[in-house]
Amino acid sequence: QVYLVESGGGSVQSGGSLRLSCVASGYTRDAYGMGWFRQAPGKEREGVAGIGGGDATLYAESVKGRFTISRDNAKNTLYLQMDNLKPEDTAMYYCAADSTRYNAAPSLWSAEYNYWGQGTQVTVSS
């Protein structure tokens, strides 16, 4: 069984930064994909950033240049560094892991992930 636990969310002002972390237990396959998704009230869940085999990365256009996804395989931890935050970044952020596609390209498609964390809230005020 794989467990994903996010942390690092909080409330910041526009232009601020936050760093989200996701610790994975029971999941040590660094050649598999992981990703960050978010869901704002009344909106569908959307992919924010993904990391795949060889640590290739992929970002949603809305966060490109502001967010950075990375992982520390020795610590089984996925990170999302979020800089220059905007009010529209306000959402619940979820960590996701894919244990089925070996060495695949990073993905922002939620259907390609089979494990999910419980989420951490990010609120950005103007």
Side-chain angles (χ1 to χ4, degrees):
Q1 184 64 31
V2 175
Y3 295 96
L4 304 173
V5 180
E6 304 98 331
S7 63
S11 297
V12 296
Q13 290 191 330
S14 182
S17 297
L18 284 173
R19 187 195 197 200
L20 305 184
S21 298
C22 171
V23 178
S25 59
Y27 184 82
T28 58
R29 302 169 183 174
D30 50 88
Y32 289 80
M34 297 191 76
W36 288 98
F37 290 75
R38 67 185 180 187
Q39 187 168 20
K43 295 187 177 181
E44 293 187 354
R45 185 173 297 189
E46 63 171 345
V48 174
I51 188 166
D55 285 349
T57 58
L58 179 67
Y59 296 93
E61 284 298 321
S62 59
V63 306
K64 197 173 292 185
R66 300 187 299 120
F67 290 11
T68 304
I69 188 172
S70 63
R71 58 182 165 186
D72 185 333
N73 294 322
K75 296 181 179 179
N76 282 346
T77 302
L78 179 73
Y79 302 101
L80 184 68
Q81 177 66 41
M82 304 186 295
D83 298 317
N84 191 22
L85 282 161
K86 303 176 180 180
E88 52 263 42
D89 295 318
T90 295
M92 184 72 78
Y93 282 72
Y94 298 90
C95 169
D98 163 27
S99 66
T100 62
R101 301 180 310 124
Y102 180 76
N103 207 31
S107 174
L108 299 181
W109 189 25
S110 61
E112 292 187 328
Y113 293 89
N114 53 332
Y115 291 103
W116 294 84
Q118 83 291 345
T120 185
Q121 178 67 39
V122 172
T123 302
V124 185
S125 58
S126 57

